[in-house]
Amino acid sequence: MVRTEVLKDIKLITEFLHSKYSNGFFIDLGKIVKDEGIYIYYDDYDNAFDGMLVIDEGDYHIHLNTTRGNYPNSSRSRFSLSHELGHYLIGRHHTDMLNGELKPHPSFLKNEQANIYEVEADHFAANLLMPESKFYNACGGRKLSWNLILDLSNKFGTSRLATLIRFSNIIRHELMIIGSQEGIVKWFLSSKDFPKMKHKFERGKKLPTEALANLNIVSISEIHEVDSDDWFVTWGGLSERQMYEQCYFAEAYNQTLTLLWFL
Ligand SMILES: [Zn+2]
């Protein structure tokens, strides 16, 4: 949860920055950093962090770790940089950094953050890169599909996953994503409102036999109407709702990403 006063701060700051530093959907983070006089370093820091903000004699330095994919302008580094800018620009964070309450820390890109400062900085990053009103406009009422997510991530310069999570928070809540490699489940995550059903799959084991990802998907599959019984143990009428499935082969990760959702 984001603290109420921080939430207000985040909304005000990110909307202002977007109006000043974007021409449409894509925000120019380099320009913000330059105007704020922050020093940026892209370097190999092993697996120590994605990003890290350090204050030294009144100067601000943001380190971005290329070993974890944070290259200049990569979608990952844009999120990591926005997260660190959150610590710098959220009033409460900045004050707490100066008084020692918020210590210099390695920030990691994670699906779930436990620390309140990290949750808030991630929320800042999502809002800075994809403000709610712009996100609505960019969607233009189009229905969920991988094509839409890819289009949005190109527009905003964000990763597929960050875009999908933003989509689930702003537009549609009931979705699940499953990453697999050669028919084996590598990871999965679902939005908060996805119906609680027992899975017929688990990490490290085979996908359900009927899964589209078992076929050789080269780029993006068609959208299929599927039976939720193929993936879940259903009860209480949940199986009567129509579930949809679409796969996208992410060449960079050599993984097939399966999207499951309800209308
Ligand atoms: Zn952080």
Side-chain angles (χ1 to χ4, degrees):
M1 277 300 285
V2 177
R3 291 169 287 189
T4 317
E5 84 272 16
V6 175
L7 197 63
K8 275 191 206 150
D9 215 12
I10 290 175
K11 198 167 160 43
L12 280 174
I13 300 166
T14 54
E15 279 179 5
F16 168 74
L17 289 175
H18 223 274
S19 66
K20 189 171 174 192
Y21 290 100
S22 87
N23 50 2
F25 300 116
F26 188 90
I27 187 161
D28 187 345
L29 299 175
K31 226 169 177 182
I32 300 177
V33 163
K34 201 168 163 221
D35 284 0
E36 293 293 331
I38 300 170
Y39 300 94
I40 301 286
Y41 312 85
Y42 293 92
D43 213 337
D44 169 4
Y45 300 102
D46 208 355
N47 246 328
F49 53 80
D50 276 294
M52 187 159 172
L53 171 64
V54 178
I55 310 174
D56 184 30
E57 294 182 1
D59 286 329
Y60 293 81
H61 307 263
I62 293 177
H63 299 268
L64 295 157
N65 190 359
T66 53
T67 311
R68 291 176 57 85
N70 295 284
Y71 297 102
N73 291 319
S74 73
S75 56
R76 189 176 182 104
S77 81
R78 281 172 57 75
F79 198 92
S80 299
L81 176 53
S82 300
H83 174 107
E84 299 308 328
L85 282 174
H87 291 317
Y88 173 81
L89 288 165
I90 297 167
R92 179 81 184 262
H93 287 215
H94 202 133
T95 315
D96 287 352
M97 275 194 304
L98 296 178
N99 67 24
E101 184 91 7
L102 173 57
K103 305 226 167 8
H105 61 276
S107 303
F108 285 96
L109 279 186
K110 283 187 200 155
N111 297 325
E112 293 283 337
Q113 299 275 22
N115 178 286
I116 183 77
Y117 290 105
E118 296 303 82
V119 172
E120 290 173 350
D122 278 354
H123 190 68
F124 180 94
N127 276 269
L128 183 64
L129 295 168
M130 299 168 274
E132 194 166 333
S133 57
K134 296 266 176 103
F135 202 80
Y136 266 113
N137 289 345
C139 287
R142 285 177 290 170
K143 284 187 178 149
L144 176 61
S145 71
W146 270 118
N147 305 64
L148 173 62
I149 298 301
L150 297 188
D151 177 52
L152 294 171
S153 74
N154 287 337
K155 275 196 170 78
F156 290 102
T158 46
S159 74
R160 320 296 193 230
L161 200 54
T163 312
L164 198 56
I165 290 170
R166 193 73 176 138
F167 187 92
S168 82
N169 287 334
I170 294 181
I171 316 270
R172 175 169 298 285
H173 304 277
E174 294 173 289
L175 53 90
M176 175 171 253
I177 178 167
I178 300 137
S180 63
Q181 214 165 31
E182 286 159 20
I184 304 294
V185 176
K186 292 286 169 188
W187 57 273
F188 57 88
L189 62 104
S190 55
S191 62
K192 277 191 217 86
D193 296 331
F194 195 84
K196 303 276 175 272
M197 298 182 285
K198 193 172 183 305
H199 306 165
K200 289 185 175 175
F201 56 91
E202 55 184 299
R203 206 181 305 242
K205 298 266 172 73
K206 279 187 183 165
L207 286 163
T209 336
E210 298 80 1
L212 277 178
N214 287 323
L215 307 173
N216 195 13
I217 307 290
V218 183
S219 55
I220 300 180
S221 76
E222 298 286 313
I223 296 173
H224 285 235
E225 290 187 358
V226 290
D227 198 337
S228 44
D229 284 333
D230 292 347
W231 289 85
F232 305 98
V233 179
T234 56
W235 68 92
L238 282 167
S239 58
E240 286 157 28
R241 294 181 61 205
Q242 184 61 59
M243 195 171 85
Y244 294 84
E245 179 184 6
Q246 191 182 29
C247 288
Y248 160 66
F249 178 65
E251 208 176 346
Y253 306 103
N254 188 31
Q255 278 194 9
T256 305
L257 306 181
T258 299
L259 198 52
L260 299 174
W261 72 97
F262 290 97
L263 277 190

